[in-house]
């Protein structure tokens, strides 16, 4: 549904994102996980055709973001970090306006409005001014705005930031409910959020994708193994058995490389340094060691910067909704 | 076209929700009615003098003596209030982060710019329409020449288009409404000063260039009852220039 290919964005000398690639399948919920300033918003803004990339491209529902931006825009619902609402309008006036500019046919605007109000549980506040609504309701108006034209893809930038724990749970349930029907990309810097809502996680740090995987496998890897990337001159000559026979090595994964060189990712037991032995083997076998660097470090570094605990949310999730709050 | 109308409708709604349209309309009508009123007094003294001076009756033309100064004065008031109408158009969207909504919707920048321009132009036409009570009132007591009046209103509408497209351009430059208003004041007063300079320049060819650039001189032709292609071209091309520059600014902001 979404294919991102080598996307890059530079602001003068500094690169906001660099060579970002990933894909999202139809109906999947993908979390874009990374610390603040990692390039999450930039990537999302490029995907929604809000700003152009300086290199690379992306396809949404098969349409290229540069060649057919109008088609892409028709198929995307976008919730920026601050919901783009007009405080002077009422909720239903605003949603009707959005439906019209998103290309919903005039006759269907009423139906689209009704279904968005219902899905986001906004029926009670439909006639209130957006400016008078609480932050949580405003966020829901933002969500309703993103899905009013029933887009294939929903892009949500930090949808739970600034909400109180109860509102966070409501919004997450809402997003989960939307998955399957819509393909969803959401960004977050909160680790449990990715776990709670998403099937797949793209971890991004300093503008680069550090890992793409399912949340469970990522954390499993993080706990169980250390990763080394090894580059050798003569890739064909490499015999995986020789490396696997090193004490502690669990797995060897060949990576794409150029000019006959070989790049391998070698996973080893946690807490066991195999670098010395590995270097010896490679050199003795005459494969031509060019480079060896630990990989897991960067992943760990990212995880260290992420928010891994959410005070209040767990308790609120455990406690029954008894205070008359709106349960979604 | 549908998108342009949707956008224009939204802008008009926002104008009428906020007090700005009502306050500006009230101030504009109060000032222009006062100016008209004093002009009527001047006219009545003039005509009673003329009645006493029997024989050589000077040419007293109602349109020339009453309406022409009123409309020219009105254009100066418009110059002062129009930037206040246009200042919010883009600046507010940027401040409220709603630009992201517009730019990620399937709308072209031309549609966004035209939607905003048509909305504010329509609002201006309504404002101008309210001043029609002046000639209507007068037509109960005397003969009013409607044809030059129609030409005057056409001129005012077109000149307003220039004011508004310049204001729209200023608003696209910044996210601060006050700054937007000050920029458009600056540009419009610049045009006004060009007209004043034209009258004082001794070199006739330079003066001619200046007077061609002056907004008021072109408006004056309409107010006299003439609709020239020269003046039409001037107003329309300046409006298009303003809209084109706005389009470029909005487009370029995507790249920053």
């Amino acid at each position: 549904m979404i294919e991102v290919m080598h996307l890059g964005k530079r602001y003068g000398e500094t690169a906001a994102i660099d060579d970002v690639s990933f894909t999202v399948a139809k109906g999947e919920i993908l979390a874009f996980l990374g610390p603040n300033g990692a390039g999450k918003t930039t990537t999302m803004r490029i995907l929604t055709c809000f700003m152009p990339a300086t290199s690379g491209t992306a396809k949404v529902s098969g349409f290229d973001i540069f060649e057919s931006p109008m088609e892409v825009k028709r198929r995307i619902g976008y919730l920026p970090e601050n919901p783009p609402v007009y405080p002077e309008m009422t909720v239903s006036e605003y949603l009707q306006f959005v439906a019209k500019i998103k290309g919903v046919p005039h006759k269907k605007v009423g139906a689209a409005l009704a279904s968005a109000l219902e899905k986001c549980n906004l029926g009670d506040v439909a006639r209130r001014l957006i400016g008078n609504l609480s932050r949580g309701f405003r966020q829901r108006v933002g969500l309703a705005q993103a899905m009013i034209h029933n887009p294939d893809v929903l892009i949500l930038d930090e949808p739970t930031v600034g909400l109180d724990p109860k509102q966070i749970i409501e919004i997450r349930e809402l997003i989960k409910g939307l998955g399957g029907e819509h393909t969803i990309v959401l960004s977050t810097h909160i680790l449990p959020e990715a776990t709670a809502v998403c099937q797949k996680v793209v971890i991004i740090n300093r503008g680069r994708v550090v890992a793409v995987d399912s949340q469970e496998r990522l954390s499993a890897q993080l706990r169980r193994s250390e990763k080394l990337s090894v580059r050798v001159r003569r890739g064909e000559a490499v015999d995986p058995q020789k490396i696997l026979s090193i004490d502690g090595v669990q797995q060897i994964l060949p990576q794409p490389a150029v000019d006959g060189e070989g790049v391998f990712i070698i996973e080893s037991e946690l807490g066991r340094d195999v670098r010395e032995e590995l270097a010896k083997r490679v050199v003795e076998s005459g494969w031509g060691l060019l480079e060896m660097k630990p990989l897991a470090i960067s992943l760990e570094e990212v995880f260290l910067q992420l928010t891994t605990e959410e005070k209040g949310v767990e308790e609120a999730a455990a406690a029954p909704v008894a205070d008359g709050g709106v349960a979604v | 076209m549908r998108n342009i109308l949707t956008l224009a409708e939204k802008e008009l709604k926002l104008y009428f929700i906020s007090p700005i349209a009502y306050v500006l309309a009230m101030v504009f009508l109060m000032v222009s009615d006062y100016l008209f009123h004093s002009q009527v007094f001047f006219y009545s003294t003039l005509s009673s003098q003329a009645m006493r001076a029997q024989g050589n009756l000077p040419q007293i033309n109602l349109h020339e003596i009453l309406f022409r100064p009123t409309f020219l004065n009105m254009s100066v008031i418009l110059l002062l209030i129009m930037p206040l109408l246009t200042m919010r158009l883009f600046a507010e969207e940027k401040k409220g982060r709603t630009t992201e909504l517009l730019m990620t919707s399937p709308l072209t920048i031309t549609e966004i710019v035209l939607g905003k321009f048509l909305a504010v132009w329509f609002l201006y036409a309504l404002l101008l329409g309210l001043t029609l009570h002046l000639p209507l009132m007068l037509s109960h007591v005397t003969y009013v020449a409607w044809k030059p009046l129609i030409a005057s209103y056409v001129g005012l509408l077109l000149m307003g288009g220039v004011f508004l497209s310049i204001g729209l351009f200023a608003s696209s430059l910044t996210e601060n409404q006050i700054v937007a208003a000050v920029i458009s004041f600056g540009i419009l007063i610049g045009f006004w000063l060009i007209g004043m300079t034209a009258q004082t320049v001794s070199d006739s060819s330079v003066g001619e260039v200046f007077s061609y650039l002056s907004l008021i001189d072109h408006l004056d032709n309409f107010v006299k009852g003439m609709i020239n292609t020269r003046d039409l071209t001037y107003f329309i091309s300046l409006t298009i220039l303003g809209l084109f520059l706005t389009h470029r600014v909005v487009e370029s902001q995507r790249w920053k």
Side-chain angles (χ1 to χ4, degrees):
Chain A
M1 191 52 87
I2 306 175
E3 270 179 87
V4 178
M5 290 160 284
H6 309 292
L7 221 50
K9 172 81 187 173
R10 305 187 70 84
Y11 294 100
E13 282 298 295
T14 49
I17 56 168
D18 187 19
D19 199 22
V20 169
S21 303
F22 60 90
T23 58
V24 194
K26 192 170 168 26
E28 212 169 27
I29 305 183
L30 174 122
F32 217 48
L33 189 63
N36 293 322
K40 301 183 297 265
T41 301
T42 306
T43 313
M44 293 188 147
R45 284 182 163 177
I46 293 172
L47 275 181
T48 51
C49 309
F50 180 66
M51 54 161 70
T54 33
S55 62
T57 186
K59 277 184 180 170
V60 176
S61 301
F63 291 99
D64 191 283
I65 54 166
F66 287 110
E67 282 157 22
S68 27
M70 284 298 162
E71 294 301 319
V72 172
K73 288 177 184 178
R74 258 187 263 280
R75 284 163 180 80
I76 279 188
Y78 175 44
L79 171 62
E81 209 175 326
N82 296 295
V85 291
Y86 298 100
E88 310 92 322
M89 284 186 169
T90 67
V91 173
S92 49
E93 267 175 350
Y94 169 70
L95 291 176
Q96 276 169 357
F97 165 68
V98 177
K100 285 182 204 160
I101 60 169
K102 296 281 180 184
V104 175
H106 265 291
K107 285 178 192 159
K108 292 185 182 159
V109 168
L113 172 70
S115 107
L117 286 176
E118 196 211 309
K119 276 188 195 161
C120 296
N121 224 335
L122 287 166
D124 296 339
V125 295
R127 288 181 182 191
R128 291 196 29 204
L129 288 182
I130 298 176
N132 295 340
L133 294 179
S134 70
R135 171 85 211 193
F137 269 111
R138 238 185 260 199
Q139 197 72 18
R140 277 199 247 162
V141 174
L143 263 180
Q145 162 276 129
M147 59 191 226
I148 191 141
H149 56 303
N150 199 20
D152 299 343
V153 175
L154 278 175
I155 295 191
L156 315 171
D157 196 354
E158 306 246 358
T160 59
V161 91
L163 299 182
D164 69 36
K166 219 178 78 197
Q167 294 168 332
I168 291 182
I169 295 165
E170 286 174 15
I171 295 281
R172 279 187 197 160
E173 289 303 316
L174 187 56
I175 293 170
K176 258 200 238 176
L178 292 171
E181 203 179 322
H182 308 269
T183 307
I184 301 176
V185 177
L186 69 89
S187 75
T188 178
H189 62 275
I190 304 162
L191 192 55
E193 179 156 293
T195 329
V197 185
C198 306
Q199 288 121 23
K200 194 173 172 185
V201 179
V202 170
I203 297 176
I204 183 169
N205 190 30
R206 299 206 196 107
R208 283 175 166 276
V209 173
V210 186
V212 184
D213 219 326
S214 73
Q215 163 66 30
E216 299 82 33
R217 277 170 58 195
L218 274 178
S219 10
Q221 270 177 15
L222 192 72
R223 260 179 269 118
R224 267 195 258 113
S225 67
E226 304 216 13
K227 278 182 173 180
L228 278 173
S229 159
V230 176
R231 195 151 69 97
V232 296
R233 176 79 70 201
R234 288 166 285 280
E236 329 81 72
V238 174
D239 174 10
Q241 283 312 317
K242 269 197 181 169
I243 292 172
L244 283 170
S245 66
I246 301 172
D247 207 16
V249 171
Q250 292 168 326
Q251 221 183 344
I252 168 163
L253 305 159
Q255 302 289 310
V258 285
D259 297 338
E261 288 178 0
V263 178
F264 299 88
I265 291 185
I266 290 154
E267 287 183 28
S268 62
E269 271 171 48
L270 191 67
R272 191 123 174 203
D273 197 348
V274 297
R275 280 178 289 180
E276 196 181 338
E277 186 59 26
L278 184 66
K280 214 166 101 191
R281 291 276 169 104
V282 175
V283 173
E284 277 174 359
S285 313
W287 298 332
L289 182 59
L290 293 176
E291 184 186 75
M292 180 159 78
K293 61 179 180 193
L295 275 186
I297 304 278
S298 58
L299 199 60
E300 258 163 19
E301 193 184 56
V302 175
F303 272 85
L304 282 177
Q305 291 176 49
L306 292 171
T307 315
T308 50
E309 275 178 19
E310 291 182 284
K311 287 226 171 94
V313 173
E314 279 104 41
E315 294 98 82
V321 186
D323 51 343
V326 192
V328 180
Chain B
M1 194 61 208
R2 193 200 129 186
N3 286 336
I4 297 177
L5 291 180
T6 308
L7 287 163
E9 186 197 330
K10 175 218 116 194
E11 290 303 335
L12 280 173
K13 205 179 265 177
L14 291 183
Y15 271 121
F16 284 109
I17 289 171
S18 73
I20 187 159
Y22 307 102
V23 173
L24 280 183
M26 196 185 79
V27 171
F28 174 63
L29 286 181
M30 269 168 43
V31 178
S32 47
D33 278 26
Y34 172 78
L35 291 173
F36 181 74
H37 187 75
S38 51
Q39 215 62 40
V40 169
F41 262 103
F42 174 66
Y43 181 76
S44 59
T45 13
L46 206 66
S47 51
S48 58
Q49 276 173 3
M51 283 214 284
R52 262 178 271 125
Q54 306 198 343
N56 299 331
L57 268 177
Q59 277 292 316
I60 302 183
N61 180 324
L62 184 75
H63 187 82
E64 191 72 11
I65 292 172
L66 187 53
F67 284 110
R68 192 171 157 212
T70 308
F71 286 137
L72 293 181
N73 288 337
M74 218 187 258
S75 75
V76 179
I77 309 164
L78 286 172
L79 190 144
L80 294 174
I81 66 165
M82 301 281 257
L84 304 175
L85 272 184
T86 50
M87 65 180 187
R88 53 164 288 277
L89 284 170
F90 275 104
E92 199 174 68
E93 302 264 10
K94 273 188 265 182
K95 195 122 202 171
R97 309 261 170 184
T98 41
T99 335
E100 274 179 89
L101 171 66
L102 297 183
M103 300 295 278
T104 58
S105 296
L107 303 169
T108 61
I109 294 174
T110 314
E111 283 170 340
I112 297 172
V113 172
L114 284 180
K116 286 180 180 293
F117 176 72
L118 285 183
V120 73
W121 206 27
F122 181 74
L123 184 70
Y124 165 67
L126 285 182
L127 200 65
L128 214 54
L130 291 176
T131 65
L132 279 172
H133 74 274
L134 302 174
L136 281 174
M137 236 159 45
L138 211 63
S139 71
H140 282 286
V141 289
T142 179
Y143 170 77
V144 171
W146 286 101
K147 280 177 187 163
L149 274 178
I150 291 170
S152 308
Y153 274 99
V154 169
L156 281 172
L157 265 180
L158 290 173
M159 186 194 65
V162 176
F163 284 10
L164 295 172
S165 84
I166 289 172
L168 194 63
F169 166 67
S171 182
S172 73
L173 291 173
T174 167
E175 61 170 44
N176 186 321
Q177 298 195 23
I178 312 277
V179 173
V182 171
I183 293 174
S184 40
F185 277 136
I187 300 175
L188 293 178
I189 290 172
F191 271 107
W192 195 48
L193 290 179
I194 285 176
M196 308 236 301
T197 321
Q199 289 161 6
T200 54
V201 166
S202 53
D203 188 337
S204 66
S205 59
V206 175
E208 215 169 295
V209 171
F210 275 22
S211 102
Y212 183 75
L213 286 175
S214 153
L215 281 162
I216 304 294
D217 284 14
H218 288 275
L219 178 69
D220 197 27
N221 288 340
F222 282 99
V223 171
K224 281 181 203 153
M226 294 186 288
I227 301 185
N228 280 327
T229 43
R230 191 177 131 104
D231 305 319
L232 283 174
T233 318
Y234 174 81
F235 281 145
I236 292 172
S237 50
L238 263 189
T239 307
I240 292 174
L241 177 70
L243 295 178
F244 172 75
L245 289 176
T246 313
H247 182 286
R248 297 326 295 162
V249 170
V250 174
E251 166 80 41
S252 76
Q253 272 158 358
R254 288 184 64 217
W255 297 83
K256 279 178 192 158

